[in-house]
Amino acid sequence: AVASLEEHFEHTIERDQRIEPRDWVPEGYRKTMIRQIAQHAHSEIIGMQPEGNWITRAPSLRRKAILLAKVQDEAGHGLYLYSAAATLGADRADLTDKLINGKQKYSSIFNYPTLTFADVGVIGWLVDGAAICNQVPLCRSSYGPYARAMIRICKEESFHQRQGFELLMTMMKGTEQQREMVQEAVNRWWWPSLMMFGPPDADSPNTAQSMAWKVKRHTNDELRQRFVDMSVPQAAALGVTFPDPDLKWNASREHYDFGAVDWDEFKNVLKGNGPCNASRIAHRRRAHEEGAWVREAAVAHAAKKEERK
Ligand code: 3HC
């Protein structure tokens, strides 16, 4: 008998094959894919602000050029992801409205300020490093357009991470003051980077279903642990420490044990009370409003071209 649409969907997931835009999907799958992809896209676009803050103040032309390229990459990541969301029927303008009106989220990590130039290196090293831990598995996500967007994005994120590490290595070979600047930035960004992976599995309402649909390939805690294990040797190579007295190798687990994450801070930032939530959204709203004439001109131009045909 011809498998029902539901059975076909289930078999595709079971066989680790890709769901494509033309395939039938359960409404819940469409909803959670739009939710995750849209919020991922919003994160990329909002993430341009903290780093962009240092483009005009980079210490050299080389550092300025590298940072400019990274911020442009993030805009491109947002574009791929909004395009992937569009294949599920999500409207770009509607998603932008939902971001600006707080109806959809973006990554908590971008609600923290970039206070010194060392933050640019630490964001490349830790924030893009965490993003890589989280996103490499997403290259095997069941939704085709999302998985394929991840392959390109992960290549660029890996480059960002190496750029950040190289920037910090240069500063660590500099003056005592530069070394202190790096350590001070690491102290501010370490715990918020762990929060990027989401709440503990026990408090994650979406993980079970997302694992069943192979949207997620690992849980929040698994990826957070992978990131900690990857980062400790890198910190040693840099000559910096992490602000966690409980961080130590556990031979029986063969992983690093680490201290308790402040989930109250995480929930507070998600509620909108982080250091920069208001300014990030205000900036995004202003850019959207000031860019309206460009969108209107493009639509008018396209209509004229259509008329001339
Ligand atoms: N910031 C903001 N919201 C978060 C969050 C975070 N760090 N972690 C979890 N949440 C939200 C979830 O979106 C969910 O809310 P929702 O139902 O309204 O969407 C709620 O908290 C509960 O979390 P769950 O674990 O149940 O949610 P998920 O299963 O969706 O897991 C996630 C959260 C791990 C972030 C997952 O959505 C994911 O892997 N998303 C894709 C990766 C992504 O978005 N990365 C953004 C990082 S920034 C970036 O990549 C830019 C680069 O340049 C650094």
Side-chain angles (χ1 to χ4, degrees):
V2 172
S4 73
L5 287 170
E6 187 94 36
E7 283 163 354
H8 177 72
F9 170 78
E10 296 298 343
H11 290 165
T12 306
I13 301 278
E14 250 160 61
R15 288 195 295 256
D16 270 347
Q17 287 173 343
R18 295 260 192 274
I19 302 288
E20 295 299 338
R22 64 180 173 281
D23 294 336
W24 176 89
V25 296
E27 208 32 48
Y29 182 88
R30 180 182 309 283
K31 258 171 62 91
T32 207
M33 281 321 303
I34 289 175
R35 174 188 66 83
Q36 176 158 332
I37 297 173
Q39 293 183 149
H40 195 160
H42 296 332
S43 305
E44 303 283 1
I45 298 303
I46 297 291
M48 295 167 72
Q49 292 185 37
E51 301 182 295
N53 182 29
W54 282 92
I55 289 175
T56 55
R57 295 184 281 156
S60 70
L61 185 58
R62 175 170 176 264
R63 291 293 174 205
K64 183 199 285 272
I66 291 172
L67 183 54
L68 201 52
K70 180 174 192 302
V71 173
Q72 280 173 323
D73 282 351
E74 313 297 7
H77 298 172
L79 186 61
Y80 307 146
L81 291 164
Y82 284 128
S83 303
T87 67
L88 287 158
D91 169 67
R92 172 85 59 84
D94 177 49
L95 295 182
T96 302
D97 281 350
K98 285 192 166 78
L99 167 64
I100 289 174
N101 298 319
K103 295 217 176 23
Q104 280 185 333
K105 299 177 169 74
Y106 57 92
S107 188
S108 51
I109 193 71
F110 296 125
N111 289 309
Y112 293 85
T114 43
L115 302 177
T116 74
F117 190 70
D119 288 44
V120 173
V122 171
I123 286 176
W125 172 41
L126 292 182
V127 174
D128 284 60
I132 289 164
C133 275
N134 163 282
Q135 290 165 183
V136 165
L138 292 175
C139 296
R140 291 183 293 116
S141 177
S142 57
Y143 189 57
Y146 189 42
R148 289 188 290 271
M150 278 306 112
I151 292 168
R152 168 76 180 271
I153 287 176
C154 286
K155 285 194 174 77
E156 291 174 343
E157 297 289 12
S158 311
F159 185 65
H160 298 163
Q161 202 233 9
R162 272 201 292 284
Q163 290 285 2
F165 193 80
E166 185 268 336
L167 185 160
L168 296 177
M169 195 55 106
T170 306
M171 289 186 77
M172 290 306 282
K173 292 192 179 109
T175 64
E176 183 48 36
Q177 198 195 8
Q178 285 175 310
R179 283 192 288 279
E180 280 163 16
M181 197 186 266
V182 172
Q183 182 62 61
E184 191 272 333
V186 171
N187 293 343
R188 276 186 286 112
W189 288 94
W190 174 243
W191 291 105
S193 298
L194 297 190
M195 296 175 198
M196 281 174 73
F197 292 91
D201 295 348
D203 297 334
S204 167
N206 296 297
T207 287
Q209 184 60 68
S210 288
M211 292 287 283
W213 279 333
K214 296 185 184 173
V215 174
K216 267 184 174 177
R217 305 308 299 250
H218 300 279
T219 70
N220 299 356
D221 287 331
E222 281 166 13
L223 293 177
R224 192 177 356 259
Q225 180 66 65
R226 190 179 285 187
F227 173 66
V228 172
D229 292 347
M230 173 183 105
S231 302
V232 173
Q234 290 174 359
L238 261 182
V240 295
T241 58
F242 290 130
D244 178 2
D246 300 329
L247 183 63
K248 64 175 162 302
W249 180 250
N250 179 322
S252 60
R253 275 192 340 118
E254 296 205 336
H255 289 292
Y256 281 91
D257 290 337
F258 55 96
V261 178
D262 181 350
W263 294 114
D264 290 339
E265 175 181 333
F266 174 74
K267 288 187 189 109
N268 222 356
V269 172
L270 257 61
K271 272 211 293 278
N273 306 324
C276 301
N277 295 57
S279 64
R280 298 292 185 236
I281 291 297
H283 185 115
R284 184 72 195 84
R285 180 191 305 277
R286 193 169 54 251
H288 186 64
E289 285 161 2
E290 287 171 2
W293 69 272
V294 177
R295 293 190 294 277
E296 285 151 21
V299 168
H301 176 66
K304 278 191 191 140
K305 266 176 70 176
E306 209 44 46
E307 268 164 40
R308 277 200 292 273
K309 269 187 195 158

